[in-house]
Structure formats: structure tokens, C-alpha cells
């Protein structure tokens, strides 16, 4: 009985091995189907897109004025403004010590009074000389001297009057007033300092008016005209609107760029000296567009993936243009009738197999 049981064991093992080998031939091959990536596709469409030119440049005062006194050698008594103060036209900004200037006015007034007295005497002498000359009681030369004395006295009075007016003018210069309304942007003076004529003491941004000075290459500069709309973002993200005031008539010889000056009536949080990026709006034009999610950037170039033969994709290098409202202009690289991958393009390579699904399913990877 025992030899019969031992011979049946190898037969059973062989049967089990054959069953295992036969089972592997019926398993389905899922490798190829698992490699297909779910994507969403669309066909490029022609739509009207705004024509924009992007640029960057400095925010600057439209006109920033350097203010100083016209009277030199006088001590500053008061500074009436601080940086950031808004001032009205004619408002006093600083005051010089006026004691010496007031004394010059009094001296000029005294000189004018003396000239008036001398003129009164000269007029009387001239009248007496004419009368005596008519009566032939005085030599003609003596009479002429008396008459000339009146003319000299009148000239001396005019000189004294001019000196008085000049002294009063100098006294008026002792108060520095704002020539225009605006904002004080800089202050380089303190009370007690001796001011020299022509030295900058304060700076004023006229009418609080700022402008954007954008630099553009020559190809874009010629497309900009006065009145073109501009749009910037301030440092808190709010939109700032403006209009081109003027375009520079010449380009920089080295950079081959020109400056565009755009007025910013409501600059928001922008300040003079800031650097800002913005764009010029030139109208609209029809353009071939795809969703911006379809564009893939690699190695400094932009690509789209289109459905090619069967369920595989082909990579197309394209040139893009204006972006607006989630769409991007395709200037070259497409014919317009292709099916372009819009979801999942960033994971694709040339020749990859894909499975087209709805956009929502492609986004979740189902």
C-alpha cells in the first residue's frame, strides 16, 4: 500500500504546474490601455481680442518744481510746510527774517521824502528864475541853472521812488509762496539756516499730477498716438486708468527705445519714483484663439498638442500674442481646424496616446 501512494505525488505536482501555466495565457493585457492619459480637446476659434502693447516705466511728476528764495543772505525764520502737505496757489511756504529788509524799506521811504522836499525847493527856484529872466533881472545862464535844478530834482525823486519800490519788493520776497497748487515732495531747509538766492529749499509737484513714462521699442512706439488709453496696476492691485499725453519725437540711440508720456488723473496708490508695468489698448481685431490652459511652455518656447493619427498627439510649436479673458491668440503654428488639447497638455509628449473625455473628467484625471 505504501509504494502506491508515493508514486501518485509526482503526478499531482505535474498537474498543478500545467494548470498554473495554462492560466497565464487567459489574463487580459491592460498595459497599453492604462498608458492613455485622459484629456479634453477643443477646436481653435476666431474671436475679437483687444489689441494691447505691454510696457513698463517710471511713475514721475508731470512737473516737479524746485522752489527757493530770491533774496540771499537772510536767515530763515519759519518753515510752514512739511513733505506731503497739499498747498494752494499763493500759500506761504516759509518766512525769512525781515528785520534788515524792513529797515531798507524805511531808509528808502526817507530818501523819497528828502527827494520830495528837494523837488519842492527846485520847483520854486525854477519859477523864480523864469520870472527874473523875463524881467531881465538875472543873467540867462543863472536862470538856466535854476530851471535845470528842477529837472535834476525830479530825476532824483524818480530814483528814490524806484529804490523804495525795490526795497518793498525785496521785503515781499522774504515770504516764499507756492506758485501753483500741489504737494510738497521734498524739503531741504530748517529754521535758522541762512538761505542763499537760487538754492533749492523745497520741491512741489504741480497740481498733484503724475504721469507714466513707458519705454517702448521702435516697432511698438509708432503705433502709439496721443489719447491712447493706458491701464496700470498700483502696488495694492487696483487698476489705474490714463491717457497718452505725448510721444517722444526721438529714440534713444543706444537702446533704440522711445518714451511715451501718459497722464494719470487718479493715480491711486502710485507715487512718484515707483516703477510700474502696464499696457496700451489700441482697439480690437479678430484673432485665432485657444484657451490659455492649452499652451505649454518648455525650453523658452510655447507649444500646443493636437490630436494626430488615431488616439495619439503631435506637439506643435506656436507663436502666441494677446491674452484676454482666459484666451490666448495663436499667431502661427496652427491651421485652425485641429483638435487641440486643453486639459492635461502639461503631462504630454510627442506621440503619447490619449483618451478624450469631458473637460471636468480630464481635470480630475478620471
Amino acid at each position: 500500500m505504501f509504494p502506491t501512494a508515493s508514486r501518485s505525488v509526482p503526478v499531482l505536482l505535474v498537474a498543478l504546474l500545467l494548470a498554473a501555466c495554462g492560466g497565464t495565457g487567459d489574463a487580459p493585457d491592460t498595459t497599453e490601455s492604462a498608458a492613455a492619459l485622459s484629456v479634453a480637446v477643443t477646436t481653435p476659434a476666431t474671436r475679437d481680442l483687444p489689441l494691447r502693447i505691454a510696457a513698463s516705466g517710471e511713475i514721475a511728476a508731470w512737473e516737479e518744481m524746485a522752489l527757493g528764495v530770491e533774496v540771499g543772505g537772510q536767515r530763515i525764520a519759519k518753515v510752514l510746510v512739511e513733505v506731503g502737505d497739499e498747498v494752494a496757489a499763493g500759500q506761504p511756504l516759509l518766512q525769512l527774517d525781515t528785520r534788515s529788509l524792513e529797515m531798507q524799506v524805511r531808509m528808502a521811504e526817507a530818501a523819497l521824502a528828502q527827494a520830495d522836499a528837494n523837488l519842492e525847493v527846485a520847483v520854486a527856484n525854477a519859477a523864480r528864475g523864469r520870472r527874473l529872466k523875463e524881467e531881465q533881472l538875472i543873467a540867462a545862464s543863472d536862470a538856466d541853472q535854476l530851471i535845470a535844478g528842477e529837472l535834476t530834482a525830479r530825476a532824483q525823486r524818480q530814483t528814490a521812488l524806484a529804490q523804495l519800490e525795490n526795497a518793498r519788493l525785496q521785503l515781499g520776497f522774504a515770504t516764499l509762496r507756492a506758485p501753483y497748487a500741489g504737494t510738497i515732495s521734498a524739503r531741504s531747509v530748517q529754521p535758522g539756516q541762512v538761505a542763499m538766492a537760487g538754492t533749492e529749499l523745497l520741491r512741489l509737484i504741480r497740481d498733484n499730477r503724475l504721469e507714466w513714462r513707458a519705454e517702448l521699442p521702435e516697432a511698438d512706439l509708432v503705433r502709439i498716438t496721443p489719447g491712447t488709453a493706458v491701464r496700470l496696476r498700483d502696488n495694492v492691485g487696483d487698476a489705474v486708468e490714463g491717457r497718452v499725453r505725448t510721444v517722444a519725437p526721438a529714440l534713444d540711440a543706444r537702446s533704440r527705445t522711445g518714451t511715451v508720456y501718459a497722464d494719470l488723473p487718479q493715480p491711486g496708490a502710485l507715487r512718484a519714483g515707483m516703477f510700474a508695468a502696464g499696457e496700451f489698448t489700441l482697439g480690437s481685431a479678430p484673432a485665432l484663439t485657444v484657451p490659455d490652459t492649452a499652451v505649454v511652455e518648455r525650453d523658452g518656447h510655447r507649444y500646443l498638442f493636437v490630436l494626430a493619427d488615431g488616439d495619439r498627439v503631435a506637439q506643435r510649436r506656436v507663436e502666441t500674442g494677446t491674452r484676454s479673458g482666459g484666451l490666448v491668440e495663436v499667431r502661427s503654428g496652427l491651421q485652425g481646424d485641429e483638435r487641440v488639447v486643453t486639459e492635461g497638455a502639461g503631462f504630454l509628449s510627442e506621440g503619447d496616446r490619449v483618451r478624450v473625455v469631458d473637460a471636468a473628467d480630464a481635470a480630475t484625471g478620471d
Side-chain angles (χ1 to χ4, degrees):
M1 294 299 293
F2 291 109
T4 303
S6 61
R7 283 196 301 269
S8 63
V9 172
V11 176
L12 179 60
L13 290 177
V14 170
L16 291 174
L17 288 173
L18 290 175
C21 292
T24 58
D26 297 335
D29 184 6
T30 61
T31 303
E32 186 173 356
S33 61
L37 180 67
S38 298
V39 298
V41 299
T42 190
T43 302
T46 300
R47 294 183 174 87
D48 283 338
L49 289 184
L51 296 177
R52 295 191 177 103
I53 297 177
S56 59
E58 179 188 11
I59 305 298
W62 167 65
E63 185 175 351
E64 190 171 20
M65 310 177 69
L67 305 179
V69 294
E70 300 182 53
V71 180
Q74 304 298 321
R75 193 172 301 279
I76 295 174
K78 298 177 182 178
V79 180
L80 306 174
V81 292
E82 295 290 345
V83 173
D85 287 353
E86 294 190 5
V87 298
Q91 178 177 331
L93 305 179
L94 64 80
Q95 179 70 52
L96 299 179
D97 187 341
T98 60
R99 289 175 296 178
S100 62
L101 298 174
E102 290 172 350
M103 184 169 293
Q104 291 178 10
V105 171
R106 290 196 294 269
M107 291 173 61
E109 289 173 343
L112 178 61
Q114 183 177 0
D116 286 337
N118 292 339
L119 177 59
E120 185 176 353
V121 173
V123 169
N125 289 338
R128 185 167 54 254
R130 293 187 185 93
R131 187 178 66 255
L132 293 176
K133 182 179 180 181
E134 291 174 357
E135 297 175 356
Q136 297 183 351
L137 297 176
I138 190 175
S141 59
D142 293 339
D144 291 342
Q145 289 181 357
L146 293 175
I147 296 172
E150 178 186 359
L151 298 177
T152 301
R154 289 187 183 279
Q156 290 174 345
R157 185 188 184 280
Q158 290 297 324
T159 301
L161 180 60
Q163 291 175 346
L164 175 58
E165 292 175 349
N166 181 67
R168 288 172 175 169
L169 182 62
Q170 296 296 310
L171 181 59
F173 287 156
T175 301
L176 176 61
R177 299 180 181 274
Y180 299 96
T183 300
I184 301 299
S185 59
R187 168 181 163 175
S188 56
V189 61
Q190 299 295 332
Q193 178 179 335
V194 176
M196 303 304 296
T199 301
E200 178 184 315
L201 304 178
L202 300 168
R203 295 188 73 86
L204 173 72
I205 297 178
R206 181 178 174 182
D207 298 329
N208 298 328
R209 186 172 165 185
L210 298 182
E211 65 181 13
W212 181 43
R213 298 176 181 176
E215 298 293 330
L216 288 177
E218 54 185 317
D220 291 333
L221 188 70
V222 297
R223 302 170 62 190
I224 305 299
T225 59
T228 299
V230 302
R231 184 182 179 90
L232 294 79
R233 292 281 179 183
D234 61 20
N235 55 349
V236 296
D238 294 333
V240 176
E241 307 286 345
R243 293 278 176 183
V244 172
R245 176 171 59 86
T246 187
V247 180
L251 278 72
D252 183 88
R254 294 184 178 180
S255 64
R256 307 303 303 169
T257 60
T259 305
V260 178
Y261 301 85
D263 282 332
L264 304 175
Q266 301 293 331
L270 295 175
R271 297 291 183 267
M274 288 183 175
F275 194 83
E279 57 188 14
F280 300 88
T281 302
L282 305 181
S284 62
L288 186 66
T289 65
V290 297
D292 54 10
T293 56
V295 180
V296 178
E297 295 193 20
R298 292 174 181 171
D299 302 325
H301 302 289
R302 294 177 175 86
Y303 299 91
L304 295 175
F305 286 92
V306 300
L307 289 183
D309 297 334
D311 55 358
R312 299 187 181 274
V313 295
Q315 180 175 277
R316 298 274 187 89
R317 180 174 170 179
V318 296
E319 178 187 358
T320 61
T322 302
R323 292 176 180 265
S324 178
L327 299 176
V328 59
E329 175 190 8
V330 180
R331 294 179 176 174
S332 64
L334 283 183
Q335 295 179 355
D337 56 353
E338 300 93 331
R339 299 178 70 192
V340 178
V341 175
T342 59
E343 297 289 345
F347 303 99
L348 297 177
S349 298
E350 174 71 27
D352 282 354
R353 295 184 62 252
V354 296
R355 181 166 57 94
V356 178
V357 297
D358 292 336
D361 294 336
T364 58
D366 293 338

